Amino acid sequence: MLKWTLKNLIAEPWHLFASVSAIAGAFALVMFFEAVFAGESKQIVAYIDHSDADVWVMQKGVSNMHMATSFVSDWKAGSVGEVEGVSKVTPILYLNTVMQAGDKRWFSFIVGLEDEGQRAGPWAIVEGKSIPAHHEAIVPSVLAKITGLKLGDEVTIAGHTFNVAGLSDNTFSMANSITFITAPDLADIMSTIGSMSYFLIDAEPNVDASELALRIKNEVEKVNAIPKERFVNNDWNVAMQMGTEIIGMMTIIGGALAVLLTSFAVYSHTIRRERELAVVKALGVQNRVIYASVMTQATWLAFLGFIMATAMVWLAVPITASFVPQVTLHVTPLGLFRIGFTALLVALISCIIPVRRMLGIDPVHAFSA
Amino acid sequence: MTTPNPVLQAEHLVKTFGTGHTAVHAVNDVSLKVIPGELVVIKGPSGSGKTTLVSMLGALLSPDSGSISIDGAKFTELNDVELAALRARKIGFIFQSFNLLEALSVEENILFPAHLSPGGTRAAQSRADALLKKLNLEHRRDASPKTLSGGEKQRVAIARALINQPQLIFADEPTGNLDSQSGQEVMMILHDVARDQGCSVVLVTHDPRVEDIADRILWLEDGALRDRKSEQHSWVKDPVCGMRVDEWTATLFAEHQGERQVFCSQRCLEKFEANPDLYLIPDTEGPGKSAL
């Protein structure tokens, strides 16, 4: 019976291809949205992730970096450095603001680096310097590609002009871009003296980050200390809150489209085989076997659609990166699993209408000439 | 000599479609018995209820009243699942338009009903091989139904109907889409099935050649059934219109002054009933019952 089901499915290869392609299109849409969201989310926490501090110290009451403001007196770097288990403290200044390049404006996270900027600076350089000097900025290479910026060109940050001294990789997303300047330049922009925003803490070997964060909070007044993993999660959750509804809506639309297309494909398959279904019913095949057959066909259609969609998105990732560099796509195993599970649900839901139709097929129709 | 127990027995079958003025009595109080190995032909004009009757006998359609039993077991009270199982094990169907499963090969089509029998396809494989050989389809074993001639398709359909060794085969116009040679071939196969394998065959057809091989011919008209051998005609004249009517197959009668009158249509019957004397003028040439 399974042989009949599967052979029926492939009996008309072009019809099968058209059905699978349509379903794959819907799944690819969902996957694409997921990949964009995953890519953007990843980029939002890219700085925290790549700077790889064990613990982050910030102003009390602050618990994340994305869209946040934090001020900690710079002398507290010394206090934090005296806490048992702390190997190194790297202070940075940080500001969310608009950067202008030519006639284009971009929302940007500006990181102010102290003299020893390597620790908290850009982690991948495409061209130029990695550590900015006075009135110099290291900008994302994607931003340079979009705006046509070159080394030596000028950008404006909050009314202050900087020369582009380096182009960094992996520091751009649609939600934010990361630009590095010196801490004194950023302090000048922020009109602040004696304050930093965050301390990046490196722990001594074999020191637990959570315990170290707790010790810092207990021993240094008016600061919050969070281990890296939790700090990444906090920022990621903020990003999720900002994008979940949109991406959720898009996923629902894409999923609904997939249900509709799979339903239509299975339904049209059932209609085209109505006479044959009447014949097999007349021969003694029971309804439950035919339901199973319809479900098997729907599951195969959804599965093939899912595989084709995965291939489409896999191809789309490098193509998108070439033609639309500002969009970061990231396909995660969890995302694939989620959409695979959705495909299974889609297959089951899409059977409802064809199965209802099948109920009405009378085996007597087998006698119709 | 004792009469063998009937493999199929139907009693007082009634099936009406629609209600009120639009009601059509497709089958009206039909009873019949078919014994093992018997080849019964059901004939009748289009719309006489042949397909409805065969659908009920084949457990595809429930009668409004009456009972049907196969091999002594009544099936008119079985549910859909039990009926499907009964069809799979005890009944074979042959259709006018072959109704082969297009996606499967010849051999797979033949073995398809075997999935529904207790032994499955493994037990049926040797029977399939024998049927392929007997019906001269061995060389077409792996062919797609699309590539077969009409005669080959119908032979595959016959093999499919026989694979589970049913007690009964229902064939609906099996020669309707075939040329005369293929039609003859199919008829002879069905004849052999009945004679050699003891499988009863109920055949609905307009094909006059079948009358030569049939054990019994039943005539169905306006839902009513009667036995008739083809050569048995009793021609009488409709007293209203004067048209020749076969009394064996006629269904419209009226008794008047102790004599039975036969009519070709309801209209003639109604006209007669309104004023019978008008149509019964003693006249050697006039209307009235007379052998032709």
Side-chain angles (χ1 to χ4, degrees):
Chain A
M1 210 59 69
L2 183 66
K3 190 186 274 185
W4 172 63
T5 301
L6 298 180
K7 278 194 153 188
N8 241 338
L9 199 60
I10 58 171
E12 294 165 296
W14 282 109
H15 186 247
L16 174 67
F17 179 73
S19 302
V20 170
S21 300
I23 295 162
F27 282 139
L29 200 66
V30 179
M31 278 184 190
F32 191 80
F33 291 145
E34 281 257 351
V36 169
F37 187 62
E40 289 301 307
S41 303
K42 196 178 168 207
Q43 281 307 101
I44 281 169
V45 296
Y47 179 68
I48 306 170
D49 210 23
H50 282 280
S51 57
D52 206 26
D54 294 309
V55 175
W56 282 71
V57 173
M58 65 218 76
Q59 180 183 327
K60 192 174 183 182
V62 177
S63 59
N64 72 298
M65 191 172 187
H66 185 74
M67 307 294 285
T69 303
S70 166
F71 287 105
V72 185
S73 301
D74 55 4
W75 59 264
K76 285 188 180 172
S79 305
V80 172
E82 286 168 8
V83 174
E84 188 189 339
V86 172
S87 163
K88 188 178 180 185
V89 180
T90 310
I92 59 163
L93 255 180
Y94 168 76
L95 175 70
N96 304 302
T97 188
V98 171
M99 184 173 76
Q100 188 168 346
D103 58 348
K104 290 181 178 153
R105 290 164 165 265
W106 296 92
F107 184 73
S108 194
F109 292 175
I110 313 295
V111 176
L113 304 171
E114 289 209 315
D115 295 340
E116 198 189 338
Q118 195 69 51
R119 175 68 189 84
W123 53 94
I125 290 293
V126 175
E127 199 179 350
K129 297 164 69 175
S130 62
I131 308 296
H134 181 50
H135 285 166
E136 282 184 346
I138 313 297
V139 301
S141 59
V142 172
L143 187 68
K145 195 172 178 180
I146 296 166
T147 57
L149 273 179
K150 294 186 295 294
L151 293 181
D153 287 351
E154 289 185 346
V155 292
T156 307
I157 300 169
H160 293 68
T161 303
F162 292 83
N163 288 317
V164 175
L167 303 176
S168 61
D169 198 14
N170 212 8
T171 48
F172 185 89
S173 78
M174 287 190 291
N176 69 325
S177 62
I178 304 167
T179 296
F180 299 90
I181 59 175
T182 64
D185 283 344
L186 185 52
D188 191 27
I189 291 170
M190 294 167 74
S191 304
T192 177
I193 300 167
S195 289
M196 297 303 280
S197 300
Y198 297 91
F199 299 155
L200 281 65
I201 310 299
D202 291 321
E204 286 176 350
N206 302 321
V207 172
D208 181 75
S210 299
E211 286 175 10
L212 180 59
L214 196 62
R215 267 206 297 277
I216 293 169
K217 271 205 292 189
N218 288 339
E219 293 179 23
V220 182
E221 277 191 340
K222 294 183 181 176
V223 298
N224 190 13
I226 300 174
K228 177 195 166 185
E229 299 305 327
R230 221 173 75 210
F231 195 55
V232 166
N233 276 340
N234 289 350
D235 249 37
W236 194 81
N237 285 336
V238 170
M240 285 288 283
Q241 283 167 12
M242 295 169 76
T244 297
E245 284 179 11
I246 296 169
I247 211 75
M249 187 62 75
M250 286 177 169
T251 305
I252 287 168
I253 291 169
L257 201 62
V259 168
L260 200 69
L261 290 167
T262 313
S263 269
F264 181 74
V266 178
Y267 185 74
S268 71
H269 212 79
T270 307
I271 297 294
R272 290 153 75 93
R273 303 276 166 186
E274 209 165 57
R275 175 69 176 274
E276 205 162 81
L277 290 173
V279 172
V280 297
K281 275 189 174 185
L283 293 179
V285 175
Q286 291 178 11
N287 275 343
R288 63 180 169 80
V289 177
I290 301 176
Y291 299 157
S293 168
V294 170
M295 278 187 187
T296 305
Q297 288 187 349
T299 307
W300 270 100
L301 282 171
F303 175 72
L304 293 173
F306 172 71
I307 297 292
M308 192 189 269
T310 306
M312 284 160 78
V313 171
W314 182 73
L315 283 173
V317 170
I319 293 170
T320 307
S322 301
F323 291 99
V324 197
Q326 61 269 43
V327 177
T328 309
L329 294 177
H330 183 58
V331 181
T332 63
L334 181 67
L336 282 181
F337 176 78
R338 200 163 40 224
I339 293 166
F341 184 71
T342 306
L344 189 66
L345 285 180
V346 163
L348 294 176
I349 294 169
S350 66
C351 284
I352 293 171
I353 296 172
V355 161
R356 281 176 66 90
R357 173 86 186 195
M358 266 184 42
L359 274 174
I361 296 175
D362 195 332
V364 172
H365 290 152
F367 279 118
S368 315
Chain B
M1 187 177 154
T2 55
T3 309
N5 287 332
V7 65
L8 173 71
Q9 184 163 3
E11 288 174 341
H12 307 296
L13 291 183
V14 174
K15 186 72 185 177
T16 304
F17 295 109
T19 54
H21 291 301
T22 58
V24 175
H25 302 291
V27 172
N28 192 8
D29 196 25
V30 164
S31 298
L32 85 135
K33 289 178 183 176
V34 178
I35 60 171
E38 191 177 20
L39 197 158
V40 177
V41 172
I42 298 175
K43 301 187 83 172
S46 295
S48 59
K50 298 190 296 292
T51 301
T52 302
L53 177 60
V54 169
S55 299
M56 288 194 289
L57 297 176
L60 294 171
L61 186 66
S62 301
D64 294 337
S65 63
S67 68
I68 310 167
S69 54
I70 287 182
D71 213 13
K74 276 190 187 176
F75 68 76
T76 30
E77 284 158 13
L78 298 181
N79 62 32
D80 285 349
V81 173
E82 292 164 329
L83 284 175
L86 176 91
R87 287 197 300 272
R89 285 200 286 271
K90 297 200 169 181
I91 300 173
F93 290 100
I94 300 166
F95 307 98
Q96 179 178 356
S97 45
F98 322 123
N99 285 343
L100 300 181
L101 306 177
E102 296 274 309
L104 301 182
S105 68
V106 164
E107 186 179 24
E108 288 164 346
N109 261 286
I110 293 170
L111 282 168
F112 186 83
H115 291 284
L116 313 166
S117 70
T121 52
R122 189 168 292 182
Q125 187 60 56
S126 59
R127 291 200 300 274
D129 292 339
L131 284 165
L132 282 163
K133 192 172 179 183
K134 187 176 178 182
L135 298 175
N136 195 24
L137 289 165
E138 262 183 319
H139 63 296
R140 307 294 265 155
R141 182 186 288 264
D142 298 319
S144 159
K146 286 176 190 164
T147 64
L148 302 180
S149 68
E152 286 174 326
K153 283 181 184 173
Q154 201 57 297
R155 279 185 275 143
V156 175
I158 292 171
R160 180 177 67 183
L162 291 170
I163 191 69
N164 284 346
Q165 300 173 303
Q167 290 165 294
L168 264 167
I169 284 186
F170 291 98
D172 185 35
E173 297 284 6
T175 59
N177 286 342
L178 301 179
D179 57 56
S180 61
Q181 193 185 335
S182 301
Q184 188 73 33
E185 213 173 55
V186 164
M187 285 302 172
M188 292 320 295
I189 293 168
L190 292 175
H191 176 258
D192 292 349
V193 164
R195 289 290 176 281
D196 304 342
Q197 298 177 23
C199 174
S200 305
V201 177
V202 177
L203 216 159
V204 170
T205 185
H206 287 105
D207 192 336
R209 291 170 301 184
V210 185
E211 298 185 0
D212 299 332
I213 59 163
D215 295 311
R216 199 148 46 104
I217 298 169
L218 303 174
W219 183 264
L220 187 72
E221 188 162 4
D222 296 331
L225 194 64
R226 64 184 59 217
D227 281 308
R228 171 172 87 76
K229 261 294 184 186
S230 62
E231 65 274 16
Q232 290 180 304
H233 296 287
S234 176
W235 298 112
V236 293
K237 194 184 274 185
D238 183 322
V240 177
C241 66
M243 186 182 283
R244 193 177 76 154
V245 183
D246 185 356
E247 196 175 9
W248 278 103
T249 62
T251 55
L252 299 167
F253 307 98
E255 289 284 335
H256 185 72
Q257 296 177 346
E259 279 204 47
R260 192 162 92 137
Q261 304 295 333
V262 182
F263 302 90
C264 70
S265 66
Q266 186 68 31
R267 187 167 170 272
C268 285
L269 174 63
E270 285 169 6
K271 283 172 89 171
F272 179 82
E273 284 176 340
N275 190 357
D277 293 335
L278 184 66
Y279 303 102
L280 293 174
I281 302 161
D283 183 348
T284 52
E285 299 275 320
K289 186 179 177 184
S290 57
L292 296 171

